[in-house]
Amino acid sequence: MCTKEDKVKLLSKDQIEAPFPDVDVEDESNGEDSGHICSFVCYALAYMVILGVFLSAVTFHNPSTDEQSFSRDTGYKARVRQIRPGERFDDKILHNFRMREEHRHAKMFPVFKPRPLSESLYDPPPRSEKAKTARYIVHNTDWGSISTISVSMVGVPFGMAVSFSDGTVSNSTGVPYFYVAKYDPVEKNIEANKLSSLALSEAQSDYCNAHDWDPESPLCSRVTLIGKLVHVGPEEEKFAQDALFSRHPVMKTWPKGHGWQTLKLVITDVWLVDIFGGATMVPVEDYFKAEL
């Protein structure tokens, strides 16, 4: 039998120290991978170039037509802002800045380009006349969202659609009048807290839809009247009801047993958005001085 020492002796010194033969192995996959990567990069670059050319053609207008579309009396600028020949603006710098913003949006997003105003029966004042714009929206809408502080839900803001009128068709007062039932949530809420707000929008007419404007677009003007909702006095009740019934004749037929109350909003603040660049707080004095 062979001992461990004998087995070790079987391996000669040359066998133990002999190096492994040098073998050169060529990695054939490296060449193929490099070719695939180059092809992928080339295709990706070509795709990006084609996509860039397509987007440029679709998104941006021909520069030769920009000047015409941005002119004072024709094109996009006149259609959007209702600019009339010879009209003057109190703040030309702000006006020009906002017009550039509108023009930039129209170039980037063609959906903002309006149709001719003749397609809409709603013809608002120039956007530079903030107080008149607010009054115009109030007079040309006959319903809105009234918000009060809920009593039954303990302090939760509560909004609901409600009919109103600020006067007969030919006599705008700027004061919203309401006709609500005695047990209406609004009536209960103002017994505890008279603070209220009335939200209105041009989207309630056909104007924004005719121009393909979303109701939340700044071009689709909206106004919120803030104040206290109170009962009208005896001396004002007939005028208020005449204003309401002239715009909402069906109110005359509502059941008498519901205890209808005539209310009005005593306005303390007027919040208006009618263009890019943020909201405008219209002074209440200017709001009531505006003539339609």
Side-chain angles (χ1 to χ4, degrees):
M1 295 180 63
C2 294
T3 64
K4 292 182 179 180
E5 291 79 2
D6 295 333
K7 291 180 179 179
V8 172
K9 291 179 181 179
L10 293 175
L11 296 175
S12 66
K13 184 178 180 180
D14 293 338
Q15 289 175 314
I16 295 174
E17 296 180 355
F20 291 101
D22 295 333
V23 178
D24 294 332
V25 179
E26 182 178 356
D27 190 355
E28 298 179 356
S29 64
N30 288 342
E32 295 180 0
D33 291 343
S34 299
H36 290 316
I37 293 174
C38 291
S39 299
F40 175 78
V41 171
C42 291
Y43 282 124
L45 290 175
Y47 175 77
M48 292 174 65
V49 170
I50 294 173
L51 181 62
V53 172
F54 174 76
L55 291 178
S56 298
V58 171
T59 304
F60 297 100
H61 295 278
N62 187 337
S64 63
T65 63
D66 284 351
E67 187 66 27
Q68 180 180 0
S69 66
F70 193 50
S71 64
R72 177 180 176 84
D73 300 319
T74 62
Y76 178 78
K77 182 177 179 181
R79 292 198 303 272
V80 173
R81 295 299 296 273
Q82 297 271 304
I83 296 175
R84 298 172 176 83
E87 185 176 9
R88 296 183 179 180
F89 296 91
D90 296 332
D91 192 342
K92 293 183 179 180
I93 296 177
L94 180 60
H95 167 71
N96 291 336
F97 168 75
R98 289 180 172 175
M99 282 311 309
R100 286 195 297 271
E101 284 295 298
E102 287 188 17
H103 185 53
R104 182 174 66 85
H105 278 77
K107 290 176 64 178
M108 295 177 63
F109 307 102
V111 71
F112 284 150
K113 293 187 66 177
R115 300 172 186 170
L117 292 177
S118 59
E119 295 186 16
S120 174
L121 300 177
Y122 183 93
D123 187 20
R127 296 178 189 265
S128 60
E129 300 182 21
K130 304 299 183 182
K132 191 172 182 178
T133 297
R135 281 286 299 274
Y136 192 87
I137 296 173
V138 172
H139 186 59
N140 284 275
T141 51
D142 55 10
W143 69 273
S145 177
I146 189 78
S147 296
T148 54
I149 304 300
S150 176
V151 172
S152 61
M153 290 180 279
V154 192
V156 174
F158 177 79
M160 60 178 286
V162 63
S163 299
F164 79 95
S165 173
D166 81 323
T168 60
V169 174
S170 60
N171 181 22
S172 168
T173 66
V175 177
Y177 294 102
F178 308 89
Y179 201 55
V180 299
K182 183 178 181 180
Y183 301 105
D184 191 280
V186 170
E187 178 69 22
K188 290 182 173 295
N189 293 342
I190 64 173
E191 290 179 1
N193 190 337
K194 291 180 169 52
L195 288 177
S196 309
S197 64
L198 176 66
L200 310 171
S201 170
E202 284 183 326
Q204 293 168 247
S205 70
D206 66 333
Y207 185 69
C208 297
N209 184 57
H211 291 72
D212 289 330
W213 291 337
D214 186 86
E216 199 169 339
S217 168
L219 298 177
C220 186
S221 303
R222 53 190 181 272
V223 63
T224 299
L225 305 178
I226 305 165
K228 293 184 177 181
L229 195 59
V230 301
H231 293 84
V232 300
E235 70 286 351
E236 193 178 4
E237 187 168 14
K238 184 180 185 306
F239 175 84
Q241 290 187 0
D242 288 344
L244 287 162
F245 297 161
S246 68
R247 305 287 289 273
H248 306 277
V250 71
M251 287 181 173
K252 295 180 181 180
T253 67
W254 289 352
K256 302 296 183 182
H258 288 198
W260 298 100
Q261 306 291 308
T262 308
L263 310 176
K264 71 175 181 179
L265 184 65
V266 179
I267 301 172
T268 58
D269 298 278
V270 179
W271 182 90
L272 173 72
V273 170
D274 68 336
I275 193 62
F276 298 102
T280 299
M281 296 303 298
V282 179
V284 177
E285 297 80 6
D286 295 346
Y287 171 81
F288 283 111
K289 287 180 181 178
E291 297 181 0
L292 299 182

